[in-house]
Amino acid sequence: MNNQLKLGFKTALAVAAMSAATQAQTLEMVVPFSAGGGTDTVARVFEPPFAAALDRTVVIRNNAGASGTIGAAAVAAAKADGNTIGYLPIGPVAIQPSLRDTAYGLNEFSYICQTTSTPVFLLQASGADKASVQDWVDQGGSGRVVYGSSGPGTIPHLAMAAFASAAQMNAIHLPFDGTGMAMNAMAGGEIDLFVDTATVLEGNDVTALAVFAAERLDAYPDVPTMAEAGFDLEFSVWQGVFGPAGMSEEDKASFSAACKTAVESDAFADLAAKTNTGIRYQGPEEFEAFVRANGQMNADILKEAGLVK
């Protein structure tokens, strides 16, 4: 074997060894909220089948703070070596960068897969004297409507702001520090409308007037869509897997395939059923297009609502 061949052979062995070493390393999955929260709960059910499909050890690291932006920033700043990913929801990715000066934007991520999409409902108190979406539109035209949210820039706020704008209602936004306080305010007649997921619908004395989804949900066949009420609006709480920008196509393909396996697992389906979480898988290209469109839509709504310039 001549020296050139020997050198080439040694180089090939070195590359193979480095690749094997990389794949043997623990894969860190960053969750940008505290342990036990909604995002963390789903991530911990997603992780075992995801890790099994990859045949790698996956460790969840909770990196909470600043509405999820600290954890999201950690993912964006990580080396794109296939050893760090993030399990991130809509807020820190597609809303917060429009509200605050984050250390990242949509270009700082690699898009791996979407895992969930849970539509939200337009809710009123069960004892309200209104029977339809149109009743509230009429109320907002001749008088005023007060709607609550779990905080400025949240999905409940964005969905209601978009609805109020489309319906040209005189609507007043009253933010609360969390859903629980908003539900107390609704029970006391302080607010008229609220938007949130089926978990809030099932856990409180409220009635769903419509769902912000493309089609009626199988679990709630009697609840019309907002489009049926005359407003083509779709809003959901979604989650997905991201990596730092620059991740190799091989790693993205491998992670995406494992993600699909995890999303289709029995454990993930059981959790979704118990928590009213909607399952939705999208691969890298579709997911990136979806997130970018969603981020732009949210930015436009925030601007129209006067929360950003």
Side-chain angles (χ1 to χ4, degrees):
M1 182 180 295
N2 61 39
N3 289 337
Q4 188 173 3
L5 286 175
K6 286 181 180 179
L7 181 59
F9 183 65
K10 289 180 179 179
T11 300
L13 286 177
V15 171
M18 289 176 62
S19 178
T22 296
Q23 292 305 312
Q25 290 182 26
T26 297
L27 174 61
E28 184 175 73
M29 180 185 292
V30 177
V31 173
F33 294 101
S34 301
T39 301
D40 179 74
T41 298
V42 180
R44 290 185 184 275
V45 174
F46 172 84
E47 178 270 321
F50 179 74
L54 286 174
D55 194 24
R56 291 182 68 180
T57 299
V58 179
V59 175
I60 291 177
R61 176 166 67 92
N62 296 95
N63 196 349
S67 300
T69 59
I70 292 177
V75 176
K79 291 183 179 180
D81 58 3
N83 292 316
T84 303
I85 57 175
Y87 190 88
L88 311 177
I90 178 177
V93 176
I95 297 177
Q96 290 301 322
S98 294
L99 283 172
R100 63 177 74 201
D101 185 18
T102 56
Y104 61 89
L106 295 182
N107 291 333
E108 277 65 59
F109 293 109
S110 289
Y111 297 80
I112 295 171
C113 69
Q114 183 176 0
T115 57
T116 69
S117 180
T118 306
V120 292
F121 294 82
L122 179 64
L123 306 173
Q124 67 174 13
S126 293
D129 61 355
K130 303 292 189 292
S132 68
V133 172
Q134 187 59 48
D135 288 343
W136 285 111
V137 173
D138 294 341
Q139 171 71 27
S142 59
R144 74 172 190 176
V145 173
V146 180
Y147 70 91
S149 78
S150 50
T154 58
I155 283 296
H157 179 205
L158 292 178
M160 265 305 310
F163 169 44
S165 176
Q168 297 183 323
M169 293 192 297
N170 176 23
I172 297 174
H173 173 221
L174 194 58
F176 293 87
D177 187 17
T179 301
M181 293 182 67
M183 289 296 96
N184 290 337
M186 178 169 275
E190 191 175 354
I191 60 175
D192 301 312
L193 297 173
F194 193 75
V195 171
D196 218 311
T197 63
T199 299
V200 174
L201 168 61
E202 295 295 342
N204 296 275
D205 190 20
V206 294
T207 300
L209 294 171
V211 61
F212 289 81
E215 299 177 348
R216 294 195 183 199
L217 304 185
D218 291 342
Y220 301 92
D222 296 330
V223 178
T225 66
M226 286 296 290
E228 289 179 73
F231 303 95
D232 189 15
L233 299 171
E234 294 180 31
F235 285 89
S236 67
V237 178
W238 54 259
Q239 301 169 337
V241 180
F242 298 78
M247 182 175 285
S248 71
E249 293 301 320
E250 291 78 10
D251 280 338
K252 282 202 297 184
S254 175
F255 289 146
S256 180
C259 178
K260 191 172 189 296
T261 298
V263 167
E264 293 175 348
S265 68
D266 290 341
F268 205 67
D270 288 344
L271 175 76
K274 291 176 182 177
T275 60
N276 294 305
T277 298
I279 294 176
R280 185 185 186 190
Y281 171 83
Q282 286 196 111
E285 292 184 3
E286 297 85 359
F287 186 39
E288 179 172 1
F290 167 77
V291 173
R292 289 186 180 279
N294 195 242
Q296 184 59 59
M297 178 187 73
N298 294 336
D300 292 342
I301 294 171
L302 289 169
K303 186 174 181 179
E304 187 169 341
L307 291 180
V308 296
K309 294 182 179 179

